Amino acid sequence: MSASTPNLYAQAMAPEALATYLRERLEKRIVDDVIQFGQLTVTVAPEALPAAAQLCRDDPRLAFDFFDFLCGVDERESGFAVVTHLYSTRHRHHIQLRALAQGGRTEPRLPTISHLYRGANWHERETYDMFGIVFDGHPDLLPRILTVENFEGFPLRKDFLLMTREVKPWPGLKEPKAADEADGDGD
């Protein structure tokens, strides 16, 4: 590349530098940050999720222009978290934004980011359908897209009962016979 040719790809920020940069800008709205396997996950206060996503998208130093995915996570007693993965095609760095939904297990809610990333629309609808997390400000979470309209419950919650397991026990729950209990027919 010659000196007159502009560098189309700026240098990626290391996860530690990304964490520092975001902490300086979001301050107390960041609850936690963790780096695992070279990937930064920033946990933000629930109400700060749109501001964090907008900063990630609009700040030229971050330039997270590619929305990869958004998914729900059942964290049992803690409630439900939502994790959003973003990528910068310019800087070639990644980030995961995480927020714990308010309302616990009974009425989990988070603000939408579908107005910032169009791809979030479908992912938020899917997360509502599977976990029951309501995204305030979303243009239309209904009709449900992965279950029938009158489906009761949210199938990816850890407390959702699978009726087939109620009728016929899950084979993994049975303990194998001890060697001294074997009937000797080669089982």
Side-chain angles (χ1 to χ4, degrees):
M1 184 182 309
S2 71
S4 63
T5 306
N7 183 2
L8 297 177
Y9 297 102
Q11 181 67 31
M13 289 177 78
E16 297 81 7
L18 273 172
T20 301
Y21 192 82
L22 286 167
R23 279 201 176 278
E24 290 170 356
R25 280 144 189 82
L26 294 172
E27 299 170 340
K28 293 180 181 174
R29 294 178 283 182
I30 292 183
V31 176
D32 190 23
D33 62 78
V34 176
I35 299 170
Q36 291 181 325
F37 307 107
Q39 175 71 54
L40 172 64
T41 301
V42 175
T43 301
V44 297
E47 66 280 358
L49 181 59
Q54 186 163 5
L55 175 69
C56 286
R57 185 192 69 180
D58 296 345
D59 186 306
R61 187 71 182 98
L62 300 173
F64 287 105
D65 56 344
F66 182 76
F67 170 87
D68 191 14
F69 68 83
L70 177 148
C71 65
V73 180
D74 186 337
E75 297 191 352
R76 297 211 185 249
E77 296 81 29
S78 299
F80 300 96
V82 168
V83 177
T84 304
H85 182 261
L86 304 173
Y87 178 72
S88 173
T89 57
R90 182 182 315 149
H91 301 303
R92 298 182 180 175
H93 51 221
H94 300 258
I95 193 168
Q96 291 188 144
L97 297 177
R98 179 183 172 277
L100 190 62
Q102 295 175 316
R105 297 193 67 78
T106 55
E107 295 181 27
R109 303 185 86 80
L110 279 172
T112 186
I113 62 166
S114 63
H115 59 290
L116 299 169
Y117 292 101
R118 291 182 67 188
N121 185 310
W122 177 271
H123 290 254
E124 288 178 357
R125 288 184 70 192
E126 181 180 56
T127 302
Y128 168 74
D129 210 8
M130 296 287 107
F131 291 94
I133 301 169
V134 174
F135 291 90
D136 294 324
H138 190 280
D140 198 6
L141 291 173
L142 296 173
R144 292 179 80 164
I145 55 176
L146 297 174
T147 58
V148 294
E149 197 58 34
N150 61 349
F151 189 85
E152 292 183 23
F154 302 101
L156 289 184
R157 287 186 174 198
K158 292 180 180 175
D159 56 2
F160 183 78
L161 294 177
L162 296 175
M163 291 314 295
T164 55
R165 291 191 183 167
E166 293 297 312
V167 175
K168 181 180 177 185
W170 183 248
L173 294 179
K174 295 181 181 179
E175 294 297 324
K177 290 182 182 178
D180 59 338
E181 295 175 10
D183 56 13
D185 63 359
D187 287 345

